[in-house]
Amino acid sequence: MFAYPVRARTAGFVIGALSALLALGIQRTNGQATAELFDYPGTALKGTASAQIVVPLQECRSICTSRSGCVGFDRRSDTGVCRLFASVDSAYDSPTFMAGTRSLLPAYRPPSNPPAQPSAVLPRTEPALPEPPDVNGRKVQYRAIPGDPRPIGWVYINVCTGAPVDATSLRASVNDFVFESLRLIPGRIEQFDRSTTPQCASVPKAIGYASANGQEWRIGAALQEMGPILRPLGIGTRADGKARDQSDRYRIDIWLSHQ
């Protein structure tokens, strides 16, 4: 594993139901959805948390604002724990918490920054970011995405016959996680015969590679950040770091085999 000049933050990851992510579950009453957040000092949220990280308040708010699937956040001041929510059911008073939501909380006190004038609920249009087309097929090079300065890395999932891990769920987990060192994009899922593929004879593992013009420490950092996703599935990590004759600057191959 390579040493790298950044401190990995303690991260807890919760996989939410896909339907909750699509619904963006805050129930709207007379409130309105907004690209900004309504502030609720001294408030904690109840709902489906999609991620939990330790960051300053402003960074917690900024991460939620930048993610289309985040409908609210709360942060506890004494521990620094920031929770990002895929859906919010209710809220309650708690002096150590600060919360923010995209819609007004029903049956709860007004936010500290209420809307200037009541208005009808309008359909929310998300800004379209350029995404690599056909990520299940051949990789497409995107060197930069507006508003996201992280280098691009690809994650390929190789499934050996009879592997006990659901590759589709794993791919969705990687796509939903906020990585700091790289913007990891799940690539294609490939199937392999366990009896004829040597890689299938070993334990499940994730191997990271950096190309000759890549920074090796980013692969090490990304693998460490993937720990909360991979460890519960029995998948180990290893940074190879060897220069590869490939078009990707950064690549992680996950081999799903038997224990």
Side-chain angles (χ1 to χ4, degrees):
M1 184 69 67
F2 295 96
Y4 49 92
V6 293
R7 179 180 299 174
R9 293 191 177 95
T10 303
F13 180 79
V14 180
I15 301 176
L18 180 58
S19 59
L21 290 175
L22 294 176
L24 300 180
I26 294 182
Q27 180 181 359
R28 298 167 186 160
T29 55
N30 60 346
Q32 63 184 37
T34 174
E36 298 300 324
L37 300 178
F38 293 114
D39 294 329
Y40 289 92
T43 297
L45 303 178
K46 289 184 178 180
T48 301
S50 60
Q52 178 174 298
I53 51 179
V54 178
V55 293
L57 175 60
Q58 190 55 40
E59 186 172 348
C60 177
R61 180 190 182 90
S62 176
I63 293 173
C64 184
T65 302
S66 66
R67 296 181 65 183
S68 61
C70 180
V71 299
F73 78 90
D74 66 15
R75 180 183 179 274
R76 185 168 175 173
S77 59
D78 55 346
T79 62
V81 173
C82 163
R83 297 186 298 175
L84 307 178
F85 286 82
S87 66
V88 173
D89 301 324
S90 60
Y92 60 93
D93 290 332
S94 182
T96 61
F97 278 81
M98 173 67 186
T101 60
R102 291 190 187 272
S103 297
L104 296 174
L105 291 172
Y108 194 70
R109 55 181 167 83
S112 61
N113 58 337
Q117 295 180 348
S119 60
V121 176
L122 299 176
R124 205 172 99 203
T125 302
E126 294 294 339
L129 294 179
E131 290 287 349
D134 188 20
V135 292
N136 274 315
R138 178 59 191 157
K139 44 193 170 293
V140 178
Q141 291 303 309
Y142 269 76
R143 293 305 179 192
I145 292 178
D148 192 337
R150 292 169 295 170
I152 304 299
W154 289 83
V155 177
Y156 290 92
I157 301 177
N158 306 305
V159 184
C160 299
T161 306
V165 177
D166 178 32
T168 302
S169 297
L170 175 59
R171 186 178 186 276
S173 301
V174 173
N175 188 55
D176 290 339
F177 198 82
V178 178
F179 295 90
E180 292 184 6
S181 56
L182 294 170
R183 186 179 191 277
L184 292 179
I185 301 174
R188 59 179 176 261
I189 297 175
E190 293 192 10
Q191 306 289 332
F192 292 89
D193 188 338
R194 183 185 179 193
S195 62
T196 59
T197 306
Q199 291 90 334
C200 293
S202 56
V203 297
K205 58 186 175 297
I207 306 175
Y209 305 102
S211 67
N213 63 344
Q215 297 171 295
E216 294 178 357
W217 69 265
R218 291 188 181 277
I219 282 293
L223 288 172
Q224 183 161 337
E225 289 181 272
M226 292 181 75
I229 301 175
L230 301 179
R231 277 196 299 268
L233 302 176
I235 302 173
T237 62
R238 178 166 62 89
D240 187 291
K242 295 179 181 178
R244 290 287 175 121
D245 183 17
Q246 60 188 37
S247 57
D248 295 327
R249 291 179 66 194
Y250 305 101
R251 172 173 176 152
I252 294 176
D253 290 339
I254 299 178
W255 283 92
L256 301 181
S257 53
H258 291 262
Q259 296 286 355

